[in-house]
Amino acid sequence: MSRLPLVAGNWKMNKTVPESLELAAAIRAGAPGQSGEVEVVLLPPFTSLWPVAERLEDSGIVLGAQDIYWEAAGAYTGEVSPTMVAGWCRYALIGHSERRRLFGETDEAVNRKVHAALAHGLRPMVAVGESLEENEAGETETVLTRQVTAAVAGLDEEQGLELVVAYEPVWAIGTGRTATPEHAEASCGLIRRLLAGALGASIAQSVRILYGGSVTAESSASQMAQPNVDGALVGGASLVAEDFLAIVRAATTAEASAI
Ligand code: 13P
């Protein structure tokens, strides 16, 4: 089954509005447009979503929010609701390890956010991954099983079709130490089997599973050539237009070589 490769740039807490517009324009200028070969997603900070959306109009590049809260509105100071971003975003990143580690986000919160995203027409991009300690203790499978099972709890098949999962081992994020293609494939393959158990085999076959963690154009080509790796979630390299575009190009090459 062929799945459309997806390359997403998570800008994290970087870029003012003017800087965001500059980066978005540079990415737009070099992106493949509506080629249908790769889906390009940018995840700017909340403050930049609206202006960047205008800058990307008719470009084929789509936006995602870096997080959402699960309530639609109310007394939740500092939070951003799915209804506030649904106008500009196709995706909502949920459960990024920085949210889990630095802001105490639990598996239960991730699941609530997944349901909230779907209820408001956003496609959840769920991030999972083991820490260095868990990896060294041989617990990768246990951790991924717990995180994936919790994230998709209560989803029906139709909702499962909207899902994207990003495998981001915490030890690879921002460290320059990326996963080998074999490790990325083993973990993404496990995630697909877990999705098959939870949502059914045919749904699991259509879900895109991305690899993230110190992705570069060089590393991403061999990672994305793996059968269960359908794209990349890029952090640091997505802040430099040329570096990000090189990964976008690598995704189309990897797809072509996998056929
Ligand atoms: P880096 O590419 O900077 O390691 O970040 C990965 C990431 O966390 C993307 O969400």
Side-chain angles (χ1 to χ4, degrees):
M1 123 101 49
S2 94
R3 293 175 288 267
L4 181 66
L6 191 163
V7 176
N10 176 10
W11 296 0
K12 307 193 178 181
M13 196 180 75
N14 293 291
K15 303 293 176 188
T16 61
V17 170
E19 289 167 349
S20 297
L21 289 171
E22 201 178 316
L23 179 57
I27 291 172
R28 177 182 186 142
Q34 324 255 13
S35 70
E37 288 180 303
V38 56
E39 185 173 16
V40 180
V41 183
L42 301 183
L43 300 118
F46 287 123
T47 42
S48 296
L49 278 175
W50 184 6
V52 167
E54 288 191 325
R55 188 60 53 101
L56 294 179
E57 219 172 328
D58 300 323
S59 67
I61 300 173
V62 300
L63 291 183
Q66 292 179 19
D67 187 27
I68 47 161
Y69 192 54
W70 57 74
E71 296 289 349
Y76 304 100
T77 300
E79 292 295 314
V80 173
S81 85
T83 52
M84 292 171 182
V85 299
W88 343 111
C89 293
R90 179 180 294 178
Y91 292 94
L93 180 59
I94 295 170
H96 190 281
S97 67
E98 286 149 17
R99 301 293 324 163
R100 295 177 190 259
R101 196 166 46 84
L102 302 173
F103 303 101
E105 197 154 300
T106 61
D107 287 329
E108 194 211 346
V110 169
N111 180 249
R112 291 180 82 160
K113 291 181 176 189
V114 166
H115 282 275
L118 289 163
H120 295 282
L122 293 160
R123 308 185 71 173
M125 188 182 282
V126 177
V128 296
E130 81 284 5
S131 68
L132 182 61
E133 300 74 44
E134 291 161 341
N135 181 280
E136 287 176 346
E139 292 168 359
T140 299
E141 192 166 334
T142 312
V143 172
L144 293 181
T145 303
R146 192 195 74 230
Q147 291 179 337
V148 172
T149 307
V152 304
L155 294 191
D156 62 27
E157 293 190 0
E158 205 178 312
Q159 292 172 318
L161 286 172
E162 302 293 313
L163 201 64
V164 171
V165 179
Y167 169 60
E168 296 207 307
V170 179
W171 47 266
I173 296 177
T175 59
R177 190 182 154 203
T178 197
T180 61
E182 294 73 27
H183 180 87
E185 170 61 16
S187 296
C188 292
L190 168 65
I191 291 167
R192 200 173 304 284
R193 290 195 296 282
L194 292 166
L195 293 173
L199 300 165
S202 89
I203 305 293
Q205 276 307 312
S206 66
V207 172
R208 267 96 45 95
I209 303 178
L210 318 179
Y211 168 76
S214 295
V215 169
T216 63
E218 294 74 38
S219 68
S220 68
S222 53
Q223 286 157 348
M224 291 188 289
Q226 302 299 312
N228 280 299
V229 182
D230 307 313
L233 179 54
V234 188
S238 74
L239 299 173
V240 179
E242 252 327 298
D243 293 351
F244 182 67
L245 289 166
I247 297 167
V248 171
R249 285 192 293 274
T252 55
T253 318
E255 172 66 5
S257 70
I259 290 171

